[in-house]
Amino acid sequence: MGKVIWHGSTQLAPVPAVLVGTGGNGFANNLITVAWVGIVCSDPAMLSISVRPERFSYKALVETGEFTVNIPLASQAAVVDWCGVKSGRDVDKFAEQNLTAAVGSQIQAPLVMECPLNLECKVKEIIKLGSHDMFLAEIVAVQVSEDFLTKSGRLALERNGGILGYAHGHYFNLGKEVGHFGFSVRKKGKFKRPQKSAKA
């Protein structure tokens, strides 16, 4: 397979398309879209988001040290995109998009009730990188919509059309599951995913 060499650039794909909630602690609630987001540590559970200092929510991020990461459905792509092109300086994004803001269980920053998965985060460190500053944060709580839990308690983000992905300026439905961790080496008949009883 032939290759064309490009300069180093942000070609990692796909990445999550998330709504980051900021506010509380004296700041108005706001939402920004962030594609530069990812898990950086398992224990303690930590992630990073990278935000340009000129973004409206930057001051709230720095001064409150809190934010939420809200994972949207593919069906919410238009809402996510709108929140990305509009500024909280000019509009109330929650009101304009009929989104429900709820205070986190551990923080004051708002989460989006319409998103199936919400991560409550506390900033531990801010690292200036260049065009973006990276906010390293501990995930102090996770909220999951009950509709996205199976009877055995598995998180099933493939439900209701699946979650949203982002790649080079375009949004994608992440589609159906094609495997799970370790499936390539599992011996047939040797392993079954444990199931809780119907009474559980």
Side-chain angles (χ1 to χ4, degrees):
M1 182 183 298
K3 297 284 185 178
V4 175
I5 299 175
W6 293 352
H7 292 292
S9 58
T10 56
Q11 298 304 313
L12 178 66
V15 294
V18 302
L19 290 168
V20 169
T22 62
N25 302 289
F27 285 87
N29 290 341
N30 191 41
L31 293 168
I32 57 173
T33 54
V34 174
W36 304 159
V37 56
I39 296 293
V40 296
C41 187
S42 299
D43 186 14
M46 296 183 70
L47 58 71
S48 71
I49 61 171
S50 290
V51 179
R52 292 179 182 270
E54 58 266 29
R55 297 288 293 270
F56 177 65
S57 282
Y58 181 87
K59 185 177 181 181
L61 284 168
V62 171
E63 294 195 14
T64 68
E66 299 179 350
F67 62 89
T68 62
V69 173
N70 304 277
I71 312 298
L73 295 169
S75 60
Q76 296 169 316
V79 172
V80 173
D81 186 67
W82 188 92
C83 288
V85 298
K86 297 292 184 178
S87 172
R89 294 183 179 92
D90 307 315
V91 295
D92 180 337
K93 298 182 186 181
F94 280 96
E96 291 290 333
Q97 291 298 308
N98 296 312
L99 298 173
T100 307
V103 175
S105 65
Q106 304 294 318
I107 62 175
Q108 295 298 306
L111 55 86
V112 181
M113 292 295 288
E114 288 77 11
C115 289
L117 188 62
N118 318 93
L119 311 179
E120 301 180 27
C121 304
K122 289 188 176 182
V123 176
K124 296 299 182 183
E125 187 177 356
I126 303 172
I127 303 172
K128 294 187 176 296
L129 300 175
S131 62
H132 291 67
D133 287 359
M134 182 170 66
F135 292 78
L136 287 174
E138 182 175 354
I139 304 168
V140 295
V142 176
Q143 296 199 31
V144 183
S145 297
E146 292 179 347
D147 290 348
F148 291 84
L149 292 175
T150 66
K151 290 181 179 180
S152 65
R154 181 180 71 85
L155 180 60
L157 288 175
E158 71 275 10
R159 289 184 174 179
N160 295 336
I163 58 175
L164 186 65
Y166 184 78
H168 311 314
H170 299 271
Y171 301 99
F172 293 89
N173 184 327
L174 292 185
K176 66 179 182 179
E177 179 183 357
V178 296
H180 61 270
F181 180 75
F183 86 101
S184 63
V185 296
R186 189 186 75 188
K187 293 181 180 178
K188 292 183 179 180
K190 293 291 185 181
F191 173 82
K192 290 185 179 179
R193 189 185 298 274
Q195 299 289 327
K196 293 183 179 179
S197 68
K199 295 181 180 180

